[in-house]
Amino acid sequence: MKTQVAIIGAGPAGLLLAHLLKAEGVDCIVLERQTGPYILSRIRAGVLEQVTVGLMERLGLDARMKAEGLPHDGFNLADGERLIRIDIKALTGKQVMVYGQTELTRDLMEAAEPRGLEIIYEAADVALHHIESDAPFVTYTKNGAEHRVDARFIIGCDGFHGPSRQTIPASVGRTFERVYPFGWLGILADVPPCNHELIYANHDRGFALASQRSNVRSRYYIDVPVTERVEDWSDERIWDELSIRLGPEAAAHITRGASIEKSIAPLRSFVFEPMRHGSLLLCGDAAHIVPPTGAKGLNLAASDVHYASEALLAFFKSNDGDAIAGYSEKALARVWKAERFSWSLTKLMHRFPDDGVFERRIQLAELDYIASSDAAQRVIAENYVGLPV
Ligand code: RFL
Ligand code: PHB
């Protein structure tokens, strides 16, 4: 097979990019290891920045998001006692959209066939070849047969564990990493949210987040040591812990219900540089990971795709390779700012095993400062809604 752009991975990064290219008449093929239903069974992000909403609008795939998504004007930080509201609308003029990654991915997947976008699911043994040349290719197997896709560019949208990043020689790449000593235990339940906006809480007993997918579906998280097993956390135990950590105001409004999903996600900050090597560009989790505290992971994937699509369209439509050459530097400038924000919010809102009473007082002082300072709230709001692309 021959195409202009071979995209590896049908997560949000790969699907968004494929649709953007296809809409402009650039040929592409998406190779995905899993099945569609498997991808849609993964419960992940829930908060979309304007950059992500804007891409769906541009594709004309925003109808369900506009009908079912919940635009939010603010969110809350909590210190175990009170709620500190960050009025993002008043401070930045912008909103965020509460709409699950699962739903966004479903909208992109369902539009693929009608728009003539080819996604090859269950592609095994995907391998990248000759990425340093102008004629790279990808091989994979499906139903026992080996296949080859020749392309002008390969885009690695294959997440943290995919093969794309690993194809870049170690002598060229550099990684920056921080692994956190806790994970987030998440619970999804068909109950109304305890608050109309999100609450990120730092209680003496640890972190908690009250989030939502709709007015009848809630998503909550607590932090737990990475050694913890999800089997040891009954629904009741999680609800009890949430009721303590989120503070009395939120606890009074928690509706308990049976979990429909429960899992522990490890927390990590990770950046790989460069994000382009020869004819291979990396987008999304393939190049970087943030802890979920700032709701940045999916949105960073979208901003990478924004830069990559601009660069690829300039190349194919105007024969201009400058944006491809500058892709890594441009994307990384935004990535590092999101890494900084996610890391700082993680530090502010979690108890670290080595922290003592001094660090606890510093956290409480910072939360008290944020509660009283318009300037501090503006800094948080500006980062939370997403920096400009
Ligand atoms: P994805 O979504 O991981 O998609 C990568 C796709 O590549 C496929 N793949 C391969 N395909 C072919 N051959 C191979 N060898 C392949 N290896 C992998 C995979 O099957 C997959 O379909 O990456 P993408 O598109 O870059 O999107 C990034 C986002 O998914 C990610 O940043 C966020 O979900 C991160 N994240 C969260 N972000 C937020 O903003 N808010 C959150 O609340 C939030 N919660 C989460 C998360 C990530 C989690 N992970 C990684 C387990 C919760 C979890 C549990
Ligand atoms: C979620 O709803 O899953 C969610 C929301 C905000 C975050 C992280 C996760 O910061």
Side-chain angles (χ1 to χ4, degrees):
M1 272 180 286
K2 201 163 169 45
T3 188
Q4 287 173 298
V5 181
I7 296 172
I8 305 176
L15 292 173
L16 274 170
L17 180 63
H19 273 290
L20 288 166
L21 296 177
K22 189 80 192 167
E24 297 287 340
V26 173
D27 243 15
C28 55
I29 292 177
V30 182
L31 299 173
E32 166 60 50
R33 188 166 57 116
Q34 305 287 357
T35 63
Y38 177 86
I39 294 171
L40 294 178
S41 73
R42 301 186 293 210
I43 307 298
R44 293 189 175 179
V47 178
L48 309 183
E49 293 175 10
Q50 183 50 45
V51 59
T52 313
V53 172
L55 290 178
M56 294 298 280
E57 284 169 349
R58 203 167 113 194
L59 291 169
L61 294 177
D62 56 331
R64 199 163 69 94
M65 179 178 71
K66 291 279 159 65
E68 296 174 19
L70 303 170
H72 280 200
D73 291 346
F75 70 97
N76 300 273
L77 300 176
D79 57 8
E81 299 286 329
R82 62 181 162 166
L83 297 183
I84 304 163
R85 181 161 188 268
I86 310 293
D87 189 336
I88 56 176
K89 181 79 188 297
L91 291 161
T92 68
K94 296 181 188 153
Q95 296 173 303
V96 291
M97 177 69 90
V98 172
Y99 190 63
Q101 175 169 336
T102 311
E103 303 313 318
L104 177 128
T105 308
R106 189 192 309 279
D107 295 340
L108 291 163
M109 269 182 189
E110 287 181 354
E113 208 185 304
R115 294 186 177 199
L117 179 63
E118 192 174 358
I119 306 174
I120 298 170
Y121 291 103
E122 298 182 273
D125 310 315
V126 166
L128 296 78
H129 309 271
H130 295 187
I131 57 167
E132 283 158 1
S133 78
D134 290 349
F137 63 97
V138 184
T139 53
Y140 67 96
T141 55
K142 179 152 178 165
N143 300 329
E146 184 157 325
H147 302 270
R148 167 175 168 151
V149 181
D150 287 276
R152 175 61 191 87
F153 290 100
I154 301 174
I155 317 297
C157 299
D158 45 356
F160 185 64
H161 300 287
S164 296
R165 185 180 70 250
Q166 277 140 36
T167 310
I168 300 178
S171 58
V172 174
R174 193 160 173 210
T175 60
F176 303 83
E177 186 167 27
R178 162 140 318 181
V179 176
Y180 299 88
F182 37 73
W184 279 17
L185 168 59
I187 182 170
L188 187 71
D190 279 336
V191 291
C194 68
N195 192 52
H196 69 291
E197 292 174 344
L198 272 63
I199 304 172
Y200 295 81
N202 180 349
H203 186 275
D204 279 340
R205 289 172 69 99
F207 171 83
L209 168 60
S211 181
Q212 52 192 265
R213 291 289 176 273
S214 71
N215 290 325
V216 290
R217 179 167 287 189
S218 299
R219 178 71 164 162
Y220 289 95
Y221 298 92
I222 52 172
D223 77 322
V224 294
V226 272
T227 47
E228 211 74 3
R229 293 171 345 137
V230 75
E231 299 76 43
D232 295 330
W233 285 85
S234 66
D235 291 359
E236 275 318 297
R237 187 176 170 206
I238 299 176
W239 291 119
D240 287 345
E241 197 63 34
L242 282 165
S243 298
I244 300 170
R245 295 189 190 185
L246 286 168
E249 211 175 316
H253 296 100
I254 290 180
T255 308
R256 298 183 179 213
S259 62
I260 47 181
E261 196 264 358
K262 229 175 354 183
S263 53
I264 298 179
L267 264 62
R268 177 194 303 271
S269 296
F270 175 90
V271 181
F272 179 86
E273 294 184 354
M275 286 175 62
R276 179 188 67 88
H277 182 65
S279 298
L280 169 66
L281 279 67
L282 302 177
C283 290
D285 281 14
H288 41 72
I289 298 288
V290 285
T293 325
K296 291 279 162 260
L298 166 60
N299 296 301
L300 268 188
S303 63
D304 290 351
V305 162
H306 168 83
Y307 296 132
S309 66
E310 278 189 341
L312 290 162
L313 292 177
F315 183 89
F316 287 113
K317 300 210 137 200
S318 319
N319 209 12
D320 177 357
D322 287 356
I324 296 280
Y327 166 70
S328 178
E329 198 183 336
K330 199 164 185 179
L332 282 168
R334 193 172 189 278
V335 165
W336 273 111
K337 293 187 193 90
E339 290 281 348
R340 184 207 69 80
F341 177 65
S342 307
W343 166 84
S344 69
L345 205 56
T346 302
K347 295 263 288 183
L348 175 64
M349 299 310 292
H350 293 75
R351 312 297 314 281
F352 286 69
D354 292 341
D355 282 359
V357 286
F358 177 82
E359 286 78 9
R360 178 66 182 145
R361 287 298 174 93
I362 292 288
Q363 285 183 334
L364 292 174
E366 187 168 343
L367 285 165
D368 198 34
Y369 169 61
I370 292 167
S372 65
S373 163
D374 187 66
Q377 291 184 14
R378 192 176 301 273
V379 168
I380 292 175
E382 185 175 65
N383 282 278
Y384 195 80
V385 299
L387 297 175
V389 286

